[in-house]
């Protein structure tokens, strides 16, 4: 009964203006239309032709001015992801054997035990992949190994997106944006891509670094801003990745061992345009929230040296709480832009009750499933997914794409949300008009949210990173309690 009442409430409130307009139109028709067709024709015939022409020109000019002042729509034409070959697999048995062979961990039994427990509780499966450099003992942290990994994952993702968007060629790219958080070679990644694909000399190139796992959606936001002021038909190529080879931590501090256990190789490329031709998704609202003013958030993900001078990335034990807090701040700005009126009224009434009655009144948690059918939550770890699911009141089905992507590919950093979108499509769940909410977290600390609306489902949804394994998913994940 409660569900029926809420559905009726949403139907009435969300269509209130249409209901009022229909009622007014009905009232006018009931009183009788004051003009007849013949009367209107006589009035037009009595006007001077020059006046009618000027009125038509003025109406067209006003309409064009309104369209020009309105932000131009931006579209995701296509996206592609790196699909690692089986030779890069890092099953648990291999990982356990390797950590037992590392001398700096053998000297610290507690850290060794911690690394093994973390791997077992991480939510990662047996098919996640690491670069060739990780298969050496000790791992190859050379510049050559990092370049080799970068060329493999970046070029594979770009090849995939151009193969899918056959009508768009490298010569059509006007802007190139590449993001990688820690590893930044010289020449930079944008130069590497320009050289490989022989992009034209006038291409505008931007290389982003240091933004962590959230940089993928930051790149899309930057592309959107550029396309809204660019000439029609402009194309932007974005590439998101994280290069692991040169960043392997060879110490024993627990907080700095986490990236070794959670991060895996991956990359994603997107082609965006301000033309709807051949587009697959239309970009909606994009909101980015920064919390770096708070010292605890600023140091939540921090690259530094340990007490032995060994460089690594330290992940704070408060990472999940920090992510939850950043998401709450983001939702304050993002929610009113995407939620239907019915949910916004319930939130406003809840805030009013709390202010007037008592501070202990529980605030209403908006149901974002009224605004979105699909959710792509950055799968930084099981605890991060759990925190977002609990905070937003989502079901296990809503976060299935995130959990299964973490299980199959691990944490691929800034490219992860595109693997989750590919999972949803590979399962055949994406329909025309389907709405997607992408959420990412990154160093700083920052949270980004992007809304997408499906314009055209994939012709072959199984042709992607999940092509060889989607039939095995979803899988049942063991309940191992809280992350350590």
């Amino acid at each position: 009964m409660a569900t029926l009442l809420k559905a009726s409430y949403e139907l009435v409130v969300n269509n209130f203006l249409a209901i009022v307009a229909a009622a007014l139109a009905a009232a006018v028709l009931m009183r009788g239309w004051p003009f007849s067709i013949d009367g209107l024709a006589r009035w037009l015939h009595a006007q001077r032709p020059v006046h009618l022409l000027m009125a038509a020109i003025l109406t067209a000019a006003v309409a064009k001015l309104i369209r020009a002042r309105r932000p131009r729509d931006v579209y995701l034409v296509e996206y592609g992801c790196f699909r690692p070959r089986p030779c890069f697999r890092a099953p648990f048995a291999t990982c356990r054997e390797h950590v037992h062979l590392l001398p700096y961990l053998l000297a610290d039994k507690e850290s060794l035990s911690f690394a093994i427990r973390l791997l077992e509780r991480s939510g990662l499966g047996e098919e996640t992949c690491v670069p060739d450099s990780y298969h050496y003992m000790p791992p190859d942290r050379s510049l050559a190994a990092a370049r080799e990994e970068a060329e493999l994952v970046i070029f594979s993702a770009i090849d995939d997106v151009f193969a899918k968007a056959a009508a768009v060629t490298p010569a059509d790219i006007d802007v190139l944006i590449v993001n990688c958080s820690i590893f930044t070679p010289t020449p930079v990644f944008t130069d590497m891509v320009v050289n490989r694909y022989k992009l034209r000399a006038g291409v505008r190139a931007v290389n982003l670094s240091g933004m962590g796992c959230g940089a993928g959606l930051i790149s899309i936001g930057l592309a959107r801003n550029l396309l809204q002021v660019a000439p029609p038909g402009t194309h932007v190529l974005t590439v998101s990745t994280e290069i692991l080879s040169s960043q392997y931590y060879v110490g024993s501090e627990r907080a700095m061992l986490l990236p070794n256990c959670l991060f895996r190789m991956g990359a994603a490329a997107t082609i965006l345009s301000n033309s709807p031709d051949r587009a697959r998704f239309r970009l909606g609202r994009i909101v980015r929230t920064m919390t770096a003013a708070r010292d605890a958030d600023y140091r939540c993900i921090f690259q530094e040296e340990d007490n032995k001078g060994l460089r690594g990335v330290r992940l704070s034990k408060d990472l999940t709480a920090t992510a939850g807090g950043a998401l709450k701040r983001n939702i304050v700005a993002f929610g009113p832009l995407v939620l239907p009126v019915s949910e916004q009224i319930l939130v406003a009434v809840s805030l009013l009750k709390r202010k007037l009655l008592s501070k202990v009144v529980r605030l209403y948690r908006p149901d974002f499933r009224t605004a979105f059918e699909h959710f792509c939550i950055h799968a930084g770890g099981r605890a991060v997914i759990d925190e977002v699911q609990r905070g937003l009141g989502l079901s296990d089905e809503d976060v299935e794409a995130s959990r299964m992507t973490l299980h199959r590919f691990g944490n691929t950093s800034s490219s992860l949300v595109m693997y989750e979108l590919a999972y949803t499509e590979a399962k055949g769940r994406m329909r025309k008009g389907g709405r997607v909410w992408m959420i990412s977290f990154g160093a700083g600390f920052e949270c980004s949210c992007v809304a997408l609306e499906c314009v055209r489902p994939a012709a072959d949804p199984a042709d992607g990173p999940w092509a060889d394994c989607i039939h095995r998913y979803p899988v049942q994940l063991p309940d191992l309690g809280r992350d350590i």
Side-chain angles (χ1 to χ4, degrees):
M1 186 63 180
T3 304
L4 180 61
L5 287 174
K6 185 173 182 181
S8 302
Y9 161 76
E10 292 175 354
L11 181 64
V12 172
V13 173
N14 294 336
N15 298 281
F16 179 74
L17 292 179
I19 293 172
V20 171
L24 289 175
V28 169
L29 290 174
M30 289 177 65
R31 293 180 60 89
W33 184 250
F35 301 104
S36 66
I37 300 299
D38 292 339
L40 180 62
R42 286 194 299 270
W43 182 84
L44 289 174
H45 184 71
Q47 306 305 310
R48 297 179 62 182
V50 66
H51 291 166
L52 295 176
L53 179 62
M54 290 179 61
I57 293 175
L58 181 61
T59 302
V62 170
K64 186 172 183 179
L65 181 62
I66 292 174
R67 287 197 301 269
R69 292 179 62 86
R70 186 176 59 191
R72 184 171 293 153
D73 285 338
V74 177
Y75 300 88
L76 174 63
V77 178
E78 193 54 87
Y79 67 96
C81 299
F82 166 70
R83 184 170 67 189
R85 298 190 302 274
C87 61
F88 295 109
R89 288 177 61 244
F92 288 169
T94 301
C95 294
R96 280 193 291 266
E97 180 184 13
H98 280 203
V99 297
H100 279 98
L101 294 175
L102 296 174
Y104 51 86
L105 284 181
L106 283 176
D108 188 338
K109 299 296 183 180
E110 290 187 2
S111 294
L112 175 63
S113 176
F114 170 82
I116 294 175
R117 292 198 315 272
L118 175 64
L119 188 63
E120 292 173 344
R121 296 170 177 265
S122 64
L124 275 65
E126 297 279 356
E127 296 183 273
T128 61
C129 295
V130 295
D132 272 336
S133 58
Y134 274 30
H135 292 276
Y136 288 90
M137 286 290 108
D140 184 358
R141 304 169 67 223
S142 67
L143 179 61
R147 282 188 184 275
E148 181 181 354
E149 179 191 349
E151 292 176 355
L152 171 65
V153 299
I154 290 176
F155 295 160
S156 296
I158 296 177
D159 289 344
D160 188 37
V161 75
F162 277 129
K164 292 178 178 178
V168 181
T169 67
D172 298 320
I173 300 302
D174 302 288
V175 181
L176 170 64
I177 303 173
V178 182
N179 66 262
C180 180
S181 184
I182 299 178
F183 178 62
T184 306
T186 301
V188 293
F189 292 117
T190 51
D191 299 328
M192 183 189 302
V193 174
V194 170
N195 178 262
R196 169 64 179 261
Y197 294 93
K198 307 305 178 188
L199 303 185
R200 53 193 179 82
V203 67
R204 292 168 173 79
V206 181
N207 202 88
L208 303 179
S209 63
M211 295 181 174
C213 302
L217 295 189
I218 294 173
S219 295
I220 290 178
L222 174 59
R224 192 275 305 267
N225 293 342
L226 293 172
L227 286 168
Q228 285 184 333
V229 297
T234 301
H235 291 89
V236 177
L237 172 65
T238 76
V239 185
S240 300
T241 189
E242 191 64 67
I243 305 306
L244 308 179
S245 295
S246 64
Q247 308 306 322
Y248 194 92
Y249 174 61
V250 292
S252 58
E253 284 201 26
R254 296 187 181 186
M256 302 175 81
L257 283 172
L258 291 168
N260 290 358
C261 298
L262 296 176
F263 283 85
R264 296 294 185 264
M265 66 191 306
T270 69
I271 295 176
L272 299 105
S273 176
N274 50 17
S275 170
D277 295 342
R278 302 176 298 274
R280 299 248 289 105
F281 294 89
R282 183 179 65 84
L283 265 66
R285 301 290 187 170
I286 299 179
V287 174
R288 180 187 177 201
T289 302
M290 291 287 299
T291 63
R294 299 181 70 250
D295 291 343
D297 290 13
Y298 173 68
R299 299 190 64 87
C300 187
I301 302 175
F302 208 82
Q303 184 183 21
E304 60 182 351
E305 296 171 339
D306 64 12
N307 54 11
K308 296 181 180 178
L310 301 172
R311 184 180 301 171
V313 176
R314 185 185 302 276
L315 302 184
S316 168
K317 63 180 180 180
D318 300 321
L319 176 59
T320 55
T322 301
L327 180 59
K328 289 178 182 177
R329 293 181 176 87
N330 189 287
I331 287 176
V332 170
F334 186 72
L337 302 177
V338 297
L339 285 170
V341 178
S342 58
E343 289 297 306
Q344 295 189 48
I345 290 177
L346 293 176
V347 173
V349 170
S350 173
L351 289 170
L352 186 61
K353 287 173 60 179
R354 188 177 206 184
K355 186 174 183 179
L356 296 178
L357 300 179
S358 171
K359 290 186 177 181
V360 298
V361 173
R362 187 175 182 180
L363 291 177
Y364 173 75
R365 181 175 61 192
D367 185 0
F368 279 93
R369 286 173 294 187
T370 59
F372 301 99
E373 289 81 28
H374 310 288
F375 300 85
C376 297
I377 304 164
H378 173 69
R382 282 194 312 109
V384 173
I385 301 173
D386 291 343
E387 181 74 13
V388 175
Q389 179 182 9
R390 184 166 48 250
L392 297 179
L394 302 178
S395 66
D396 289 339
E397 185 178 352
D398 292 329
V399 299
E400 179 185 311
S402 300
R403 293 196 190 281
M404 296 306 107
T405 299
L406 179 64
H407 181 271
R408 172 62 183 86
F409 294 100
N411 185 348
T412 63
S413 190
S414 56
S415 63
L416 197 54
V417 288
M418 302 312 297
Y419 284 89
E420 296 173 16
L421 180 61
Y423 176 87
T424 302
E425 294 209 279
K427 297 299 289 185
R429 297 171 182 171
M430 189 63 66
R431 299 287 186 270
K432 183 177 180 179
R435 298 163 297 177
V436 185
W437 183 10
M438 290 185 165
I439 304 173
S440 71
F441 303 101
F445 196 83
E446 66 87 19
C447 173
S448 294
C449 288
V450 173
L452 297 175
E453 180 182 351
C454 181
V455 176
R456 178 174 56 86
D460 184 6
D463 182 21
W466 296 88
D468 59 348
C469 60
I470 191 61
H471 60 283
R472 300 197 301 269
Y473 284 87
V475 298
Q476 183 65 39
L477 300 178
D479 184 9
L480 297 172
R482 295 182 59 85
D483 283 345
I484 51 178

